[in-house]
Amino acid sequence: AHHRWGLRGLMESHHYGWWPSFVSDLAKGAFWTPGPTSAELLAALAAREVGSAGAPLALAAWQAWSEAILDYVPTNEDQYGPFRTGPSYPLVFLTLPVFPTAAHAMFGSRIFRIDYHMHAGSRAAQTAGAVRIGPEIRSLRRMEAKWAEGVALITEAASLAPERKRANAERLRVLGEFILCAVRTTIHVKEWWRCRQRLLGEADRTAACALLEEMAAIARREIANAEAAIPLVTVDSRLGWEPSMEYVCSPDHLGWKIAQVQRVLETELPGYHASQYV
């Protein structure tokens, strides 16, 4: 590939070239002849990452994740929203907070938007947000279930890893759990957006109060999800870092997000509820 087409690098590592993952090795094998088949290479990589005892479980986990990713919906609002920052992404109701980013970051918070909204008709081939929000949530819930299956498998694989491979296997587990947290955040953000849109246009007091209760339940689920992400980014700080943004999902950022959602839960939602009776 290098001689025929001028291959110089692999896009999989374009942001993390200083620390490529096993996927880089797998991609490299696809461009190298003669070489092992993909199945042989995967088996060898699984044994290298977690040891021979846990390798079959790691392979099953990777298969589950490969199936799960097929339900990922690559929309602009998610790429520049909750899938950009992960579980540190806030739930905005009435007050737009300022997302804390490093002053020296190339883009910082300018490369994502925290005032989440579904793009509607901005492109000729794009379905209106109100039409696709339900299918997107259902798709991500399928992704969540399949990804969780992979996390359970990689957790078991890590438990079987020999001592010298234990830390590496643990990083794989933590990575899987972090992505699962990001998927759940995106589901919650979409559920939140749908409820908020309905609430702000709802004139019936009973229906509005029911929507407020639903939003409070979403907020509590997302706080728990963000709390679950803190030990993950503490174990492996690479999960909270991206070179053009710097840290956007560190323990501090997750703490900021939890406090922001708590304020919405304890102040903004009750305030809007009270306005129904003024």
Side-chain angles (χ1 to χ4, degrees):
H2 173 74
H3 291 293
R4 289 183 181 179
W5 307 300
L7 180 69
R8 295 292 186 273
L10 299 170
M11 197 64 178
E12 188 274 335
S13 291
H14 77 296
H15 278 263
Y16 292 93
W18 47 274
W19 199 311
S21 74
F22 70 90
V23 179
S24 300
D25 295 319
L26 182 62
K28 174 184 174 183
F31 288 102
W32 195 269
T33 53
T37 65
S38 294
E40 291 169 339
L41 188 55
L42 274 169
L45 288 171
R48 186 191 73 182
E49 296 296 309
V50 303
S52 57
L57 290 162
L59 287 170
W62 294 346
Q63 180 63 43
W65 291 342
S66 295
E67 294 171 11
I69 202 67
L70 298 177
D71 280 312
Y72 168 74
V73 185
T75 64
N76 264 1
E77 52 263 30
D78 294 343
Q79 180 186 356
Y80 296 100
F83 273 128
R84 173 76 60 165
T85 74
S88 62
Y89 194 82
L91 295 180
V92 175
F93 181 39
L94 299 176
T95 303
L96 187 65
V98 177
F99 192 99
T101 52
H104 63 272
M106 181 186 298
F107 296 116
S109 60
R110 291 182 291 115
I111 202 170
F112 55 87
R113 301 187 62 169
I114 59 173
D115 55 333
Y116 188 84
H117 63 278
M118 300 286 288
H119 298 188
S122 59
R123 297 178 183 272
Q126 186 175 27
T127 306
V131 176
R132 58 188 166 86
I133 185 73
E136 287 181 9
I137 290 172
R138 291 193 294 273
S139 183
L140 287 173
R141 282 178 178 155
R142 289 194 301 271
M143 181 181 179
E144 176 192 16
K146 199 67 180 179
W147 201 276
E149 180 183 319
V151 168
L153 288 163
I154 205 69
T155 299
E156 188 177 353
S159 72
L160 298 174
E163 186 61 36
R164 69 184 185 280
K165 296 181 183 290
R166 188 77 42 85
N168 202 46
E170 184 66 6
R171 280 194 294 269
L172 269 176
R173 180 194 67 81
V174 167
L175 171 63
E177 290 200 11
F178 180 80
I179 294 174
L180 184 57
C181 286
V183 173
R184 287 171 175 159
T185 290
T186 305
I187 292 170
H188 294 156
V189 167
K190 289 179 181 294
E191 291 175 333
W192 181 266
W193 179 87
R194 184 166 60 179
C195 284
R196 182 178 182 273
Q197 293 298 103
R198 291 172 176 170
L199 175 64
L200 295 180
E202 183 55 71
D204 180 79
R205 181 179 295 166
T206 301
C209 290
L211 285 166
L212 285 165
E213 284 297 320
E214 188 175 348
M215 291 178 73
I218 295 168
R220 286 189 287 268
R221 290 198 298 272
E222 181 53 22
I223 287 172
N225 183 52
E227 289 173 342
I230 292 175
L232 305 177
V233 299
T234 301
V235 167
D236 190 347
S237 63
R238 292 173 300 167
L239 300 176
W241 184 83
E242 191 276 341
S244 70
M245 296 183 292
E246 291 291 334
Y247 278 100
V248 293
C249 198
S250 65
D252 286 345
H253 283 89
L254 287 163
W256 170 85
K257 179 262 186 64
I258 290 167
Q260 182 269 329
V261 179
Q262 285 282 14
R263 284 192 299 273
V264 172
L265 186 59
E266 297 171 3
T267 303
E268 293 190 24
L269 292 183
Y272 196 88
H273 182 273
S275 73
Q276 302 297 306
Y277 297 91
V278 174

